[in-house]
Amino acid sequence: MTLSPDNPITLCTPPRVLCADGARLRIAPLCRRLGWRRALVVTDRWFVQHSAEFGGLLAALRGHGVAVHVFDGGAPDPSTTLVDEATQWVAREGVAPDHLIAWGGGSNIDLAKALSVTIPNARPVGELVGHADWPVAPLPLVAVPTTAGTGSEITPGAILVQPGSATKVALMANGLRPAVAVVDPELTLTCPARVTADAGLDALTHAIESWLTKDAIDFDVEGDPDPGYSGRSELTVLFAREATALVFRHLATAFEHPQDRQARRGMARASLYAAMSYATAGLNAVHGLAYALAGLTHASHGSTNAVMLPYVMDALVDVRRDELAEIARLAGAQGADSLALARSAPVLTRELVRRVGIATDLVAFGVAEEDLPRLVADGLAVKRLAKAWPGGAVADDYARIVRHAFHGELSGCRRR
């Protein structure tokens, strides 16, 4: 698949990306080299109480002359309320960090990103959402993921739950990309099977969704000279393709044999490469509808992405046939009929979802048929994602996707 030579190429990443076994051991000396002396470490209580690696980080920082304060109130799907509470805690404690370190899953990293803005600006996060011209620039952030999937260590966004809203809100700007992304596969060895599956399918969603999204030449950046997301290019597709191949090769093994280091390394790279793609190309219907589904069911982000992904892929068979045929080949399919291959890609993706124990239709999530219009409406309300839909009429397509996801219908396999 070759994009038009007129298609723009953009790639936005953190200044430093470290990916290796033991990469976490470079954090303390690197912080000192960069001149940082006061760290606010953002994590959750599990790591404080149970992680020897986390304890090692704190000791190493102090050993290198970096003062440390720890906020351990991280929670799944951080809310705007949590961000404001953490900001107030920092003020009460008299903490004046010159950098932040996020340790944990994407939720902890997103919380730290938000704090990197609210702390220097001393304002509630609700006043900072929706624009990127903040009075004071974000504090630098070192992001250390302990799962292989979210990619938040690369992206320009902090996704937050807005209490009272059916969908999530985002702080979004290239200035929110971490200064250092530290991807250490050894930190994923203790991930429970469910977390491995959720995170791994999140990575697959990032890869495939950004591979199939709108071309950069057609992407509406609304006049922004420095957009966080700007559509796919040949460069983002290279990362997306490699990430997709790695997930199909390694996720089931990492799920079934969690101490398999080769599988863990493969998934760490898959997550990183997927993030290198989607953190510039952007996402569309899978995430838009997954946010709506999470608002309705409170199911995990990885699982809501996973259930929607095959049906979104199927809706794009006519406009992304060659890409979907290639995805099918990466999943192990053979043959010369590109249409048949394209239709098999969603089926093979759904088989992987089922293999790692995640439900494959909306009924299994407890969704009733009368909930479907609400899912469509809430998905469309995430306009930054709906505008990137590369298919036909977005409202009609979303309605069709949701209906097929409810009934478990794919064109390559009519019933699950």
Side-chain angles (χ1 to χ4, degrees):
M1 182 275 304
T2 302
L3 297 177
S4 164
D6 296 326
N7 194 60
I9 293 178
T10 301
L11 187 69
C12 298
T13 67
R16 292 171 178 81
V17 177
L18 314 178
C19 180
D21 284 359
R24 66 190 183 278
L25 303 177
R26 296 173 60 182
I27 296 171
L30 179 57
C31 287
R32 182 170 181 83
R33 173 75 61 85
L34 293 171
W36 300 336
R37 295 295 181 268
R38 300 183 307 278
L40 174 63
V41 181
V42 179
T43 189
D44 58 62
R45 289 183 182 86
W46 190 92
F47 291 105
V48 171
Q49 296 172 355
H50 301 290
S51 173
E53 292 83 3
F54 181 75
L57 169 71
L58 301 185
L61 288 167
R62 291 171 178 136
H64 282 80
V66 179
V68 177
H69 285 84
V70 177
F71 178 80
D72 64 358
D77 295 318
S79 67
T80 54
T81 302
L82 176 58
V83 173
D84 290 340
E85 290 173 348
T87 305
Q88 293 162 11
W89 177 88
V90 169
R92 286 196 308 272
E93 294 291 314
V95 179
D98 57 14
H99 69 292
L100 287 82
I101 299 174
W103 183 286
S107 293
N108 288 350
I109 297 174
D110 279 4
L111 173 60
K113 284 181 178 178
L115 291 174
S116 77
V117 179
T118 59
I119 291 171
N121 284 280
R123 293 165 62 181
V125 69
E127 297 180 9
L128 303 169
V129 167
H131 54 87
D133 53 344
W134 304 309
V136 183
L139 293 168
L141 170 64
V142 180
V144 191
T146 59
T147 63
T150 72
S152 187
E153 70 276 7
I154 303 293
T155 69
I159 309 302
L160 306 170
V161 173
Q162 175 67 61
S165 172
T167 57
K168 298 182 180 182
V169 297
L171 278 170
M172 190 75 63
N174 283 320
L176 268 185
R177 295 181 194 269
V180 185
V182 179
V183 179
D184 187 339
E186 290 181 343
L187 297 178
T188 68
L189 288 169
T190 56
C191 277
R194 173 54 49 233
V195 175
T196 297
D198 269 32
L201 290 172
D202 198 17
L204 183 63
T205 300
H206 294 153
I208 291 177
E209 198 173 6
S210 63
W211 189 350
L212 304 180
T213 200
K214 269 189 178 177
D215 294 348
I217 198 169
D218 299 321
F219 195 98
D220 182 10
V221 299
E222 300 176 350
D224 189 342
D226 188 30
Y229 298 123
S230 53
R232 70 174 186 167
S233 70
E234 292 168 292
L235 194 53
T236 66
V237 167
L238 289 174
F239 284 115
R241 185 191 184 283
E242 183 62 17
T244 301
L246 286 167
V247 175
F248 278 116
R249 189 180 310 149
H250 293 295
L251 176 55
T253 302
F255 175 76
E256 294 164 358
H257 305 284
Q259 295 303 307
D260 188 308
R261 286 180 174 263
Q262 182 177 3
R264 291 296 192 180
R265 293 184 188 112
M267 286 306 302
R269 283 163 172 74
S271 176
L272 174 62
Y273 298 157
M276 296 289 276
S277 176
Y278 95 88
T280 293
L283 304 165
N284 51 75
V286 181
H287 272 70
L289 292 168
Y291 290 156
L293 180 59
L296 179 66
T297 65
H298 305 291
S300 67
H301 178 63
S303 68
T304 55
N305 272 337
V307 70
M308 298 308 309
L309 177 60
Y311 305 99
V312 172
M313 293 168 66
D314 204 43
L316 292 173
V317 165
D318 290 337
V319 296
R320 293 288 187 260
R321 178 183 299 188
D322 291 345
E323 293 89 338
L324 286 162
E326 180 64 11
I327 290 168
R329 295 186 187 98
L330 295 176
Q334 297 180 347
D337 185 333
S338 63
L339 178 57
L341 283 169
R343 286 179 172 162
S344 71
V347 177
L348 293 169
T349 300
R350 190 170 66 180
E351 288 177 0
L352 178 60
V353 172
R354 182 181 293 112
R355 180 171 176 178
V356 296
I358 292 179
T360 57
D361 62 46
L362 295 180
V363 173
F365 278 77
V367 175
E369 193 158 11
E370 56 265 29
D371 294 324
L372 302 188
R374 173 183 167 183
L375 285 180
V376 174
D378 289 347
L380 291 170
V382 190
K383 294 180 181 179
R384 62 186 172 83
L385 299 177
K387 75 174 187 177
W389 178 241
V394 61
D396 292 343
D397 284 352
Y398 272 34
R400 189 176 306 111
I401 290 165
V402 166
R403 186 170 63 252
H404 288 173
F406 181 79
H407 292 291
E409 295 178 346
L410 294 172
S411 63
C413 178
R414 184 57 60 181
R415 288 281 181 179
R416 61 181 174 85

